[in-house]
Amino acid sequence: MTREQVFEFFRRLAEANPSPTTELESNNPYQLLVAVVLSAQATDASVNVATKPLFEHIETPEQMVDFGEEPLRQAIKTIGLFNTKAKNVIALSRALIDDHRSEIPRTREELEELPGVGRKTANVVLNTAFGEETFAVDTHVFRVCNRTGLAPGKTVDEVEAKLEKIVPQPFRRDAHHWLILHGRYTCKARLPECWRCPVIDLCRYKPKTLPPEERVKSSAVRTATRGSSKARTAKARTDGPPTAGRSRSRPNRLP
Ligand code: SF4
């Protein structure tokens, strides 16, 4: 995409949703960090279901450590990989206490030192809790960037580096949210909803999806065409005179 197209791409996503944010629910940066750690390979909705009652009485690392690993495991057992995640949440809470931190770290390096915190998690926390212009690349962002030609790359690191380079102001801070939400609700993995996509003319994905009613029509036409061509073939076989080589199973009896 050209620079003008990239600008237009984000301008339209911004117009459709001027104040995007994460769908993970939290009341402070520590809870956000925990929610992001829990959201690896899980949906935000499933994490919210588990954290809602938990976050009513746990707001700090100290409260989490007092709560304990086994009760935490029980509280989050509806989320995938809950055993490892419970361990990591307790371990990262202990690390925060041991470092005498009243707040969670504000640099990527310090965040990534915490158990269970990788680059993507650090990027989400830096962006959502502290307003940094970071680009967390999850499965939705990776797909949208490659499909559309916005920031193609073979790995999440490549895509992140391209986003860093091409996303213009004033969209840098919220770009990551717009891309996630676009991937989650419009440019879906199995069937992108191109017919209602605000960036359809900028996107390089070729087999654009038709609106549902046109898909029904065209599949009916395909079925009808297949049916009539089968009928024509069957009729030609019954009506036509036997000719040499027409059928291998029946000998040609013409004089
Ligand atoms: S046109 Fe289709 S493939 Fe392209 S971004 Fe929109 S939904 Fe995705």
Side-chain angles (χ1 to χ4, degrees):
M1 281 190 204
T2 63
R3 272 185 14 201
E4 290 71 25
Q5 287 172 326
V6 173
F7 189 94
E8 185 57 15
F9 187 100
F10 284 106
R11 194 197 63 75
R12 290 190 206 168
L13 294 186
E15 191 177 56
N17 183 2
S19 310
T21 188
T22 178
E23 292 184 329
L24 286 171
E25 290 164 6
S26 63
N27 303 309
N28 65 30
Y30 169 70
Q31 288 186 343
L32 176 70
L33 174 63
V34 171
V36 181
V37 167
L38 296 181
S39 73
Q41 296 177 48
T43 63
D44 288 0
S46 71
V47 173
N48 290 339
V49 168
T51 55
K52 197 173 173 50
L54 191 68
F55 287 169
E56 274 170 19
H57 57 101
I58 296 178
E59 293 181 349
T60 65
E62 289 80 4
Q63 289 169 342
M64 185 66 86
V65 171
D66 287 348
F67 186 55
E69 192 175 317
E70 183 49 35
L72 177 60
R73 191 175 288 127
Q74 291 305 315
I76 63 167
K77 68 181 176 193
T78 49
I79 306 173
L81 309 174
F82 67 94
N83 276 319
T84 312
K85 288 175 182 174
K87 252 190 194 59
N88 282 336
V89 168
I90 294 295
L92 79 81
S93 304
R94 279 213 180 94
L96 290 171
I97 297 168
D98 291 348
D99 284 355
H100 306 289
R101 290 183 189 278
S102 53
E103 291 186 339
I104 66 165
R106 283 178 171 242
T107 68
R108 183 199 307 286
E109 294 69 29
E110 289 171 298
L111 278 166
E112 284 187 29
E113 278 172 14
L114 296 171
V117 178
R119 187 174 179 92
K120 192 191 77 178
T121 300
N123 276 338
V124 175
V125 172
L126 289 171
N127 178 270
T128 308
F130 304 127
E132 303 262 341
E133 293 170 359
T134 54
F135 303 90
V137 180
D138 72 349
T139 177
H140 298 298
V141 177
F142 186 77
R143 182 177 64 255
V144 170
C145 287
N146 275 290
R147 251 188 200 162
T148 57
L150 176 73
K154 288 194 179 71
T155 63
V156 290
D157 289 349
E158 257 180 61
V159 170
E160 186 187 329
K162 284 212 177 126
L163 287 172
E164 277 278 357
K165 209 164 138 193
I166 61 154
V167 179
Q169 292 295 11
F171 308 115
R172 291 182 69 84
R173 178 165 168 192
D174 288 328
H176 137 257
H177 292 305
W178 281 312
L179 292 171
I180 287 183
L181 296 172
H182 186 60
R184 190 175 286 164
Y185 296 111
T186 308
C187 194
K188 297 176 182 173
R190 282 186 51 212
L191 192 69
E193 299 184 354
C194 306
W195 70 89
R196 59 177 200 87
C197 174
V199 292
I200 186 167
D201 55 315
L202 302 169
C203 164
R204 292 193 190 154
Y205 183 67
K206 280 282 187 267
K208 298 275 198 295
T209 314
L210 295 170
E213 58 282 5
E214 284 185 36
R215 284 207 310 280
V216 170
K217 255 192 249 160
S218 66
S219 101
V221 169
R222 270 200 310 277
T223 314
T225 315
R226 262 204 304 272
S228 66
S229 91
K230 267 187 194 161
R232 270 201 305 280
T233 314
K235 188 166 180 343
R237 279 195 185 132
T238 350
D239 294 352
T243 55
R246 178 164 218 155
S247 161
R248 283 184 197 151
S249 56
R250 243 199 231 164
N252 185 352
R253 292 194 184 158
L254 281 177

